[in-house]
Amino acid sequence: MDGEHFLTCPLCEATCGLKVRVTDGRVDLIRGDEKDVFSGGFLCPKGSLLHKIHDDPDRLRTPMIKRDGKHVPATWEEAYAAIEQGLTPILEAGNRNAIGLYVGNPNAHNHANAIYGRTLIQALGTNQIYSASTVDQMPKHVSCGMMFGDPDLIPVPDLDRTDYLLMLGANPVESNGSVCTAPDMPGRLKAISARGGRVVVVDPRRTRTADLADQHIAIRPGTDAIWLAAVARLLLDGAAERLGDQAEYVTGLDELADVLAGFTPEFAESICGISPDVTKSVATGLADNERSAVYGRIGTHTTTAGTVASWLVDLCNLLAGSLDRPGGAMFSSAVHGIDRAEPGGRGFRIGRHQSRVKGYPEVRREFPAVTLPDEILEPGDGQIRAMIVIGGNPARSLPDTARMEQAFDSLEFMVSVDIFLNETSRCADVILPPPSSLERTHYDLALYNLAVRNVANYSPAVFEAEGPHEEDIFAKLALIVAGQGAQADVDVMHALTLDAVLGARQAAVPEMGERPIDDLRAMVTGDTPADRVLDVMVRAGRYGDRFGAVPDGLTLDKLKAHPHGIDLGPLQPRLPNAVQTPDGAVAAAPPEFVARLKEIVETLATSADSPVLIGRRDVRSNNSWLHNVKGLVKGKDRCTLWVNPLDAAEWGMTDGDTALVASSVGELEVSVEVTDRTMVGVVSLPHGWGHDAPGTELKIANEHAGVNMNALVPPTDIDPLSGNATLTGIPVNVTAAVH
Ligand SMILES: Nc1nc2c(c(=O)[nH]1)N[C@H]1C(S)=C(S)[C@@H](COP(=O)(O)OP(=O)(O)OC[C@H]3O[C@@H](n4cnc5c(=O)[nH]c(N)nc54)[C@H](O)[C@@H]3O)O[C@H]1N2
Ligand SMILES: Nc1nc2c(c(=O)[nH]1)N[C@H]1C(S)=C(S)[C@@H](COP(=O)(O)OP(=O)(O)OC[C@H]3O[C@@H](n4cnc5c(=O)[nH]c(N)nc54)[C@H](O)[C@@H]3O)O[C@H]1N2
Ligand code: SF4
Ligand SMILES: [Mo]
């Protein structure tokens, strides 16, 4: 194992290639892999410290069982037996909805979890499914689901070829990009300006991304939808010409003049605080540059208007003539995906069932994460009595965390699959630790669907896993909830999972359809059960060998032979065939969105003028779980409240003072940082901090606890179309703390 290893960083969406040096059985250096076909050597401080998570003495290496209120180490057999004992009576009571599932962000960075999530959900048979998606990108899924018929068909800005990028609510210099996979996003943005193009950033804060952009436009939090509607209205002029042949497969264009009529630049100014001249210049920039793209992220999504804003982003792309065209907003062609032969499909719907307590519509089989505490605390048939939390920290990442923790504490039984004993897993009766990221193989099943080039990279594990693989844990949990018992053999679930994927691919890929499944199965390779499924996906995929039918096509073995990845070139147009709406056309004006836009105007026009709280990310954090790495938390305190100098003067505060910040659900005290980087009336706190909870085992994070922003975020203001939480523009009251 000593020597050089190449692996894709699993921490954020950038998928950087890492060069990992192992000496005497330990990692002693991580650098960017300059030969990586996508990242070319780029990495950030988190990637260079990835081994510190593996080596962290606080990282769990054995299961933990809670006995008399304290977690003690246990064997895997004991842990699984305890889970069987805890869950079986609840299931035997007859209502499968009594068990809830929450899956967090790291599941999107782990192909085993992505594949086996389905296996577990099927075995659970519950409709109480929650994930970090509804505090994140769900609006984008819904907008694309309605416009293109497929919630996973999401356009990304063609960064390397665009000449005009309008970016809203994203700060990739810190986040390294999201729902747009592009390692070295800062470098790619600089390259746009360097080749004579223009980058325009819309953000209530002057971020580091705004610093490197050609233009920063400050916007009032929560108002992007209104401003985008004004930009779209201006883009109607000349749109037919720019669309050209594309108009043949777009419906709803004729309605837009009516829908957008009231959204003059002057009206937008009254709500968003952006001058009409600026709005007009942006519309002109998008229209006149043949290669222009609009991209919106967290700041644009996490509001009650998230889905509508997300729709308007792509409507602007469409009207600017940028959708599905080089340099515009294009769709990736991931290696494991399958090309459709013609447009048209089942389309996308929400609300096939409703949440029990609040009646929220299901979206992609999930309910809004903000309503999880309601479903746990509110008695009645279908009440959640036990939870399984996998790779998530809802006690810090969801709104109104005090109520979330109260709900977890009230459960009859809770399982956490996590590598740390943190704010969430401390509530669990049993914690199952999967291997560290250096002990597992890696392929970005989710993120290559959103990449700005068509690439594929598979990494073998650096070290052998000490315990079961994460898919073994999923398989065992599936067996237990299926009533097979803790002793049942995981290979049964592995075989079922493989055959389910093989069967689905066989039905979709003509070259596989006629062949006996046994023959296909016999050809599958892979080091782990999840890798074997991955092999099926790659071989059946658009570049695949179709199990021998395309001899030079891709297989998992071929990916393995390319440790720096395989580059399959720039993005290619995919419309209209990729469109899966029932009529096979792109819907420019889905009626649900048009109706919701009207409602939003009414609520925003009447909203009060109190200070509002927004978030912020820092390159050395990753949501809530990297604060136990010394190299990432040392130095200046980053969990501070940003306050504009004019507000600070009015509130009688100076740098380093303690402020009391109160919202409708909570209050906290935090150190003030006075800076003109945030707008007047807008204060900012990072999320994912607040590591002082008793019963956690996070030595370094405890010493750098910070405050928990989500204690202030109310769980009530959701985007009704996606169920997404509002995480920005939270009304707060800020005063100097008196001691
Ligand atoms: N106020 C506010 N709140 C926010 C946001 C915001 O911008 N503002 N952002 C939201 C967003 S975008 C997201 S995605 C969510 C994230 O919400 P969550 O996913 O709930 O939270 P994370 O902090 O990502 O927690 C990840 C957990 O997974 C564990 N983990 C790490 N690696 C693995 C692994 O390989 N396997 C398993 N099983 N566990 C692992 C970590 O120890 C940690 O406990 O937070 C959201 N919350
Ligand atoms: N270093 C680091 N990287 C990360 C993460 C992390 O926690 N730390 N988390 C990862 C995850 S899970 C995700 S989802 C991505 C998110 O990646 P990004 O979407 O780039 O997220 P942020 O960096 O939070 O940038 C959001 C920006 O929106 C601005 N904003 C707030 N409200 C509004 C508004 O109403 N309108 C507009 N236009 N802007 C607004 C904020 O000031 C902020 O600068 O990052 C990923 N990468
Ligand atoms: S930018 Fe993201 S993928 Fe790249 S090294 Fe940093 S954390 Fe890893
Ligand atoms: Mo996220």
Short mmCIF file of all heavy atoms in Angstrom, two decimals, residues 102-107 110 113 132 135-136 297-298 390-394 396-398 417-420 422 434-435 440 470 615 617 622-625 687 709-710 713 727, ligand 1:
data_model
loop_
_atom_site.label_atom_id
_atom_site.label_comp_id
_atom_site.label_asym_id
_atom_site.label_seq_id
_atom_site.Cartn_x
_atom_site.Cartn_y
_atom_site.Cartn_z
N TYR A 102 -33.64 9.55 7.03
CA TYR A 102 -33.05 10.83 6.57
C TYR A 102 -31.69 10.53 5.99
O TYR A 102 -30.86 9.88 6.65
CB TYR A 102 -32.91 11.81 7.75
CG TYR A 102 -32.18 13.09 7.35
CD1 TYR A 102 -32.88 14.20 6.87
CD2 TYR A 102 -30.79 13.17 7.42
CE1 TYR A 102 -32.20 15.37 6.49
CE2 TYR A 102 -30.11 14.34 7.04
CZ TYR A 102 -30.82 15.42 6.57
OH TYR A 102 -30.16 16.56 6.18
N VAL A 103 -31.46 10.93 4.76
CA VAL A 103 -30.12 10.77 4.17
C VAL A 103 -29.51 12.14 3.90
O VAL A 103 -30.16 13.03 3.38
CB VAL A 103 -30.10 9.89 2.90
CG1 VAL A 103 -30.45 8.46 3.20
CG2 VAL A 103 -31.03 10.43 1.82
N GLY A 104 -28.25 12.27 4.29
CA GLY A 104 -27.57 13.56 4.20
C GLY A 104 -26.65 13.67 3.01
O GLY A 104 -26.55 12.78 2.17
N ASN A 105 -25.97 14.78 2.99
CA ASN A 105 -25.16 15.18 1.84
C ASN A 105 -24.08 14.17 1.41
O ASN A 105 -23.94 13.92 0.20
CB ASN A 105 -24.57 16.56 2.13
CG ASN A 105 -23.57 16.98 1.10
OD1 ASN A 105 -22.39 16.65 1.20
ND2 ASN A 105 -24.02 17.69 0.09
N PRO A 106 -23.29 13.58 2.33
CA PRO A 106 -22.23 12.68 1.87
C PRO A 106 -22.73 11.49 1.02
O PRO A 106 -21.96 10.90 0.27
CB PRO A 106 -21.58 12.19 3.17
CG PRO A 106 -21.80 13.32 4.12
CD PRO A 106 -23.18 13.82 3.78
N ASN A 107 -24.02 11.19 1.12
CA ASN A 107 -24.56 10.12 0.27
C ASN A 107 -24.46 10.45 -1.22
O ASN A 107 -24.44 9.56 -2.05
CB ASN A 107 -26.02 9.85 0.62
CG ASN A 107 -26.15 9.21 2.00
OD1 ASN A 107 -25.97 8.00 2.14
ND2 ASN A 107 -26.42 10.01 3.01
N ASN A 110 -20.95 9.24 -2.83
CA ASN A 110 -20.60 7.86 -2.50
C ASN A 110 -21.50 6.95 -3.35
O ASN A 110 -22.70 6.87 -3.10
CB ASN A 110 -20.86 7.68 -1.00
CG ASN A 110 -20.37 6.36 -0.47
OD1 ASN A 110 -20.30 5.38 -1.22
ND2 ASN A 110 -20.06 6.33 0.80
N ASN A 113 -23.71 4.29 -1.58
CA ASN A 113 -24.92 4.77 -0.91
C ASN A 113 -26.00 5.14 -1.92
O ASN A 113 -27.19 4.90 -1.69
CB ASN A 113 -24.59 5.99 -0.05
CG ASN A 113 -23.61 5.66 1.06
OD1 ASN A 113 -22.81 4.73 0.91
ND2 ASN A 113 -23.67 6.39 2.13
N ALA A 132 -31.29 15.83 2.73
CA ALA A 132 -30.74 17.19 2.67
C ALA A 132 -31.16 17.90 1.38
O ALA A 132 -30.98 19.12 1.27
CB ALA A 132 -29.22 17.14 2.79
N VAL A 135 -33.19 21.02 1.84
CA VAL A 135 -32.56 22.24 2.35
C VAL A 135 -31.51 22.67 1.33
O VAL A 135 -30.51 23.29 1.67
CB VAL A 135 -31.92 22.06 3.75
CG1 VAL A 135 -32.98 22.10 4.83
CG2 VAL A 135 -31.13 20.75 3.84
N ASP A 136 -31.74 22.32 0.08
CA ASP A 136 -30.67 22.49 -0.89
C ASP A 136 -31.24 22.70 -2.29
O ASP A 136 -31.85 23.71 -2.59
CB ASP A 136 -29.76 21.24 -0.79
CG ASP A 136 -28.46 21.37 -1.55
OD1 ASP A 136 -28.34 22.28 -2.36
OD2 ASP A 136 -27.55 20.55 -1.34
N ARG A 297 -27.75 29.33 -7.69
CA ARG A 297 -27.54 28.27 -6.71
C ARG A 297 -28.08 28.63 -5.33
O ARG A 297 -29.00 29.42 -5.26
CB ARG A 297 -26.03 27.92 -6.72
CG ARG A 297 -25.66 26.51 -6.48
CD ARG A 297 -26.67 25.44 -6.83
NE ARG A 297 -26.44 24.31 -5.97
CZ ARG A 297 -27.29 23.88 -5.02
NH1 ARG A 297 -28.45 24.46 -4.83
NH2 ARG A 297 -26.98 22.85 -4.27
N ILE A 298 -27.53 28.09 -4.29
CA ILE A 298 -28.13 28.09 -2.94
C ILE A 298 -28.90 29.36 -2.59
O ILE A 298 -30.03 29.30 -2.13
CB ILE A 298 -27.04 27.79 -1.87
CG1 ILE A 298 -26.76 26.29 -1.82
CG2 ILE A 298 -27.42 28.28 -0.50
CD1 ILE A 298 -27.84 25.46 -1.16
N ILE A 390 -28.67 8.51 7.85
CA ILE A 390 -27.44 8.05 7.18
C ILE A 390 -26.67 9.24 6.61
O ILE A 390 -27.16 9.97 5.76
CB ILE A 390 -27.78 7.05 6.05
CG1 ILE A 390 -28.59 5.88 6.62
CG2 ILE A 390 -26.50 6.57 5.38
CD1 ILE A 390 -28.96 4.83 5.60
N GLY A 391 -25.45 9.41 7.13
CA GLY A 391 -24.58 10.46 6.58
C GLY A 391 -25.25 11.82 6.58
O GLY A 391 -25.21 12.52 5.57
N GLY A 392 -25.84 12.18 7.68
CA GLY A 392 -26.46 13.50 7.79
C GLY A 392 -26.36 14.00 9.21
O GLY A 392 -26.20 13.20 10.14
N ASN A 393 -26.48 15.29 9.35
CA ASN A 393 -26.45 15.89 10.69
C ASN A 393 -27.61 16.87 10.85
O ASN A 393 -27.42 18.07 11.02
CB ASN A 393 -25.10 16.59 10.91
CG ASN A 393 -24.87 16.98 12.35
OD1 ASN A 393 -25.68 16.64 13.23
ND2 ASN A 393 -23.80 17.70 12.61
N PRO A 394 -28.84 16.34 10.73
CA PRO A 394 -30.01 17.22 10.79
C PRO A 394 -30.08 18.06 12.05
O PRO A 394 -30.71 19.12 12.04
CB PRO A 394 -31.20 16.26 10.68
CG PRO A 394 -30.67 14.89 10.87
CD PRO A 394 -29.22 14.94 10.50
N ARG A 396 -27.93 19.89 13.09
CA ARG A 396 -27.27 21.16 12.80
C ARG A 396 -27.65 21.72 11.43
O ARG A 396 -27.56 22.91 11.20
CB ARG A 396 -25.73 21.01 12.87
CG ARG A 396 -25.21 20.90 14.28
CD ARG A 396 -25.49 22.16 15.10
NE ARG A 396 -25.22 21.98 16.54
CZ ARG A 396 -26.11 21.52 17.42
NH1 ARG A 396 -27.35 21.21 17.04
NH2 ARG A 396 -25.80 21.39 18.69
N SER A 397 -28.09 20.87 10.53
CA SER A 397 -28.25 21.34 9.15
C SER A 397 -29.68 21.72 8.79
O SER A 397 -29.91 22.35 7.77
CB SER A 397 -27.75 20.28 8.17
OG SER A 397 -28.37 19.05 8.42
N LEU A 398 -30.65 21.36 9.63
CA LEU A 398 -32.04 21.69 9.32
C LEU A 398 -32.51 22.88 10.15
O LEU A 398 -32.01 23.12 11.24
CB LEU A 398 -32.96 20.49 9.60
CG LEU A 398 -32.69 19.20 8.84
CD1 LEU A 398 -33.81 18.19 9.11
CD2 LEU A 398 -32.57 19.43 7.35
N VAL A 417 -25.95 6.03 10.80
CA VAL A 417 -24.79 5.50 10.08
C VAL A 417 -23.88 6.69 9.88
O VAL A 417 -24.18 7.57 9.07
CB VAL A 417 -25.21 4.87 8.73
CG1 VAL A 417 -23.99 4.28 8.03
CG2 VAL A 417 -26.28 3.80 8.95
N ASP A 418 -22.81 6.74 10.63
CA ASP A 418 -21.98 7.95 10.62
C ASP A 418 -20.58 7.62 11.10
O ASP A 418 -20.38 6.69 11.89
CB ASP A 418 -22.59 9.04 11.52
CG ASP A 418 -22.22 10.44 11.03
OD1 ASP A 418 -21.03 10.82 11.11
OD2 ASP A 418 -23.12 11.14 10.54
N ILE A 419 -19.63 8.44 10.65
CA ILE A 419 -18.24 8.22 11.07
C ILE A 419 -17.90 8.98 12.35
O ILE A 419 -16.81 8.82 12.88
CB ILE A 419 -17.25 8.59 9.94
CG1 ILE A 419 -17.49 10.02 9.45
CG2 ILE A 419 -17.38 7.61 8.78
CD1 ILE A 419 -16.49 10.49 8.40
N PHE A 420 -18.82 9.82 12.83
CA PHE A 420 -18.55 10.58 14.05
C PHE A 420 -19.71 10.48 15.04
O PHE A 420 -20.86 10.28 14.64
CB PHE A 420 -18.32 12.06 13.73
CG PHE A 420 -16.98 12.34 13.10
CD1 PHE A 420 -16.90 12.76 11.78
CD2 PHE A 420 -15.80 12.17 13.82
CE1 PHE A 420 -15.67 13.01 11.19
CE2 PHE A 420 -14.56 12.42 13.24
CZ PHE A 420 -14.50 12.85 11.92
N ASN A 422 -21.58 12.83 16.69
CA ASN A 422 -21.79 14.28 16.64
C ASN A 422 -23.17 14.66 17.15
O ASN A 422 -23.84 13.86 17.82
CB ASN A 422 -21.52 14.80 15.22
CG ASN A 422 -22.50 14.25 14.19
OD1 ASN A 422 -23.50 13.65 14.56
ND2 ASN A 422 -22.22 14.49 12.94
N PRO A 434 -19.34 3.57 8.86
CA PRO A 434 -18.82 3.03 7.60
C PRO A 434 -17.31 3.30 7.52
O PRO A 434 -16.77 4.03 8.35
CB PRO A 434 -19.56 3.85 6.54
CG PRO A 434 -19.86 5.15 7.21
CD PRO A 434 -20.07 4.83 8.66
N PRO A 435 -16.65 2.74 6.53
CA PRO A 435 -15.21 3.00 6.38
C PRO A 435 -14.96 4.48 6.05
O PRO A 435 -15.86 5.19 5.61
CB PRO A 435 -14.81 2.14 5.18
CG PRO A 435 -15.93 1.19 4.94
CD PRO A 435 -17.16 1.82 5.50
N ARG A 440 -12.49 3.23 0.84
CA ARG A 440 -13.52 2.79 -0.10
C ARG A 440 -13.19 3.24 -1.52
O ARG A 440 -12.41 4.17 -1.72
CB ARG A 440 -14.88 3.30 0.33
CG ARG A 440 -15.01 4.80 0.37
CD ARG A 440 -16.46 5.19 0.60
NE ARG A 440 -16.66 6.56 0.98
CZ ARG A 440 -16.82 7.57 0.12
NH1 ARG A 440 -16.76 7.35 -1.19
NH2 ARG A 440 -17.02 8.79 0.55
N GLU A 470 -19.91 0.33 3.25
CA GLU A 470 -21.17 1.00 3.55
C GLU A 470 -22.34 0.26 2.89
O GLU A 470 -23.44 0.20 3.44
CB GLU A 470 -21.14 2.48 3.15
CG GLU A 470 -22.25 3.26 3.85
CD GLU A 470 -21.92 4.71 4.21
OE1 GLU A 470 -20.82 5.19 3.93
OE2 GLU A 470 -22.79 5.37 4.80
N GLY A 615 -26.76 33.31 4.91
CA GLY A 615 -25.67 32.39 5.26
C GLY A 615 -24.36 32.79 4.62
O GLY A 615 -24.24 33.85 4.02
N ARG A 617 -20.55 30.47 3.20
CA ARG A 617 -19.64 29.33 3.29
C ARG A 617 -18.20 29.81 3.27
O ARG A 617 -17.92 30.86 2.71
CB ARG A 617 -19.89 28.35 2.12
CG ARG A 617 -21.11 27.50 2.32
CD ARG A 617 -21.38 26.59 1.14
NE ARG A 617 -22.27 25.51 1.49
CZ ARG A 617 -23.60 25.60 1.63
NH1 ARG A 617 -24.20 26.77 1.45
NH2 ARG A 617 -24.32 24.56 1.96
N ASN A 622 -17.11 22.29 5.52
CA ASN A 622 -18.00 21.55 4.63
C ASN A 622 -19.25 21.23 5.44
O ASN A 622 -19.25 20.28 6.21
CB ASN A 622 -17.34 20.27 4.12
CG ASN A 622 -18.12 19.67 2.97
OD1 ASN A 622 -18.87 20.37 2.30
ND2 ASN A 622 -17.96 18.38 2.75
N ASN A 623 -20.25 22.04 5.28
CA ASN A 623 -21.44 21.92 6.12
C ASN A 623 -21.00 21.78 7.58
O ASN A 623 -20.22 22.60 8.04
CB ASN A 623 -22.35 20.82 5.60
CG ASN A 623 -22.86 21.15 4.20
OD1 ASN A 623 -23.16 22.30 3.91
ND2 ASN A 623 -22.92 20.18 3.31
N SER A 624 -21.43 20.71 8.27
CA SER A 624 -21.20 20.69 9.71
C SER A 624 -20.06 19.79 10.16
O SER A 624 -19.82 19.67 11.34
CB SER A 624 -22.48 20.21 10.40
OG SER A 624 -22.63 18.82 10.18
N TRP A 625 -19.36 19.14 9.21
CA TRP A 625 -18.59 18.00 9.72
C TRP A 625 -17.08 18.02 9.49
O TRP A 625 -16.44 17.01 9.71
CB TRP A 625 -19.20 16.69 9.22
CG TRP A 625 -19.09 16.44 7.75
CD1 TRP A 625 -19.88 16.98 6.78
CD2 TRP A 625 -18.16 15.57 7.10
NE1 TRP A 625 -19.49 16.50 5.56
CE2 TRP A 625 -18.45 15.62 5.72
CE3 TRP A 625 -17.12 14.74 7.54
CZ2 TRP A 625 -17.72 14.89 4.77
CZ3 TRP A 625 -16.41 14.01 6.60
CH2 TRP A 625 -16.71 14.09 5.23
N HIS A 687 -23.38 28.39 8.47
CA HIS A 687 -24.15 27.31 9.11
C HIS A 687 -23.19 26.15 9.43
O HIS A 687 -22.05 26.14 8.99
CB HIS A 687 -25.27 26.82 8.19
CG HIS A 687 -24.79 25.99 7.03
ND1 HIS A 687 -24.23 26.56 5.91
CD2 HIS A 687 -24.77 24.65 6.82
CE1 HIS A 687 -23.90 25.60 5.06
NE2 HIS A 687 -24.21 24.43 5.58
N MET A 709 -26.32 28.51 13.46
CA MET A 709 -27.20 29.42 12.72
C MET A 709 -28.63 28.88 12.63
O MET A 709 -29.60 29.62 12.67
CB MET A 709 -26.65 29.63 11.31
CG MET A 709 -27.57 30.49 10.46
SD MET A 709 -27.21 30.35 8.70
CE MET A 709 -28.39 31.51 8.01
N ASN A 710 -28.74 27.55 12.48
CA ASN A 710 -30.07 26.99 12.24
C ASN A 710 -30.98 27.01 13.47
O ASN A 710 -32.17 26.73 13.36
CB ASN A 710 -29.96 25.59 11.65
CG ASN A 710 -29.67 25.66 10.16
OD1 ASN A 710 -30.23 26.51 9.46
ND2 ASN A 710 -28.78 24.81 9.68
N VAL A 713 -33.38 29.64 12.31
CA VAL A 713 -34.14 29.54 11.05
C VAL A 713 -35.49 28.88 11.30
O VAL A 713 -35.55 27.74 11.75
CB VAL A 713 -33.33 28.73 10.01
CG1 VAL A 713 -34.11 28.62 8.70
CG2 VAL A 713 -31.97 29.38 9.76
N LEU A 727 -33.60 29.35 3.77
CA LEU A 727 -32.40 29.48 4.60
C LEU A 727 -31.78 30.85 4.46
O LEU A 727 -30.73 31.13 5.01
CB LEU A 727 -31.37 28.42 4.21
CG LEU A 727 -31.83 26.96 4.28
CD1 LEU A 727 -30.76 26.03 3.72
CD2 LEU A 727 -32.17 26.57 5.71
N1 LIG B 1 -28.64 27.66 7.45
C1 LIG B 1 -28.22 26.84 6.51
N2 LIG B 1 -28.41 25.52 6.65
C2 LIG B 1 -28.00 24.68 5.70
C3 LIG B 1 -27.37 25.15 4.53
C4 LIG B 1 -27.18 26.54 4.39
O1 LIG B 1 -26.65 27.02 3.37
N3 LIG B 1 -27.61 27.35 5.40
N4 LIG B 1 -27.00 24.26 3.55
C5 LIG B 1 -27.78 23.06 3.43
C6 LIG B 1 -27.16 22.11 2.50
S1 LIG B 1 -26.84 22.68 0.93
C7 LIG B 1 -26.91 20.83 2.81
S2 LIG B 1 -26.38 19.75 1.60
C8 LIG B 1 -27.18 20.35 4.19
C9 LIG B 1 -26.27 19.25 4.66
O2 LIG B 1 -26.99 18.58 5.63
P1 LIG B 1 -26.56 17.15 6.21
O3 LIG B 1 -26.19 16.24 5.13
O4 LIG B 1 -27.63 16.74 7.14
O5 LIG B 1 -25.32 17.55 7.09
P2 LIG B 1 -23.76 17.42 6.93
O6 LIG B 1 -23.19 18.49 7.77
O7 LIG B 1 -23.38 17.37 5.52
O8 LIG B 1 -23.49 16.07 7.67
C10 LIG B 1 -22.93 14.97 7.06
C11 LIG B 1 -22.79 13.84 8.06
O9 LIG B 1 -22.30 12.69 7.37
C12 LIG B 1 -21.19 12.15 8.08
N5 LIG B 1 -20.34 11.48 7.08
C13 LIG B 1 -19.25 11.94 6.44
N6 LIG B 1 -18.80 11.03 5.54
C14 LIG B 1 -19.64 9.98 5.60
C15 LIG B 1 -19.73 8.74 4.91
O10 LIG B 1 -18.92 8.41 4.03
N7 LIG B 1 -20.77 7.93 5.24
C16 LIG B 1 -21.66 8.27 6.20
N8 LIG B 1 -22.65 7.41 6.46
N9 LIG B 1 -21.58 9.40 6.89
C17 LIG B 1 -20.61 10.25 6.58
C18 LIG B 1 -20.61 13.29 8.84
O11 LIG B 1 -19.90 12.85 9.97
C19 LIG B 1 -21.85 14.12 9.19
O12 LIG B 1 -22.42 13.67 10.38
O13 LIG B 1 -27.14 21.44 5.09
C20 LIG B 1 -28.08 22.40 4.78
N10 LIG B 1 -28.22 23.34 5.85
#
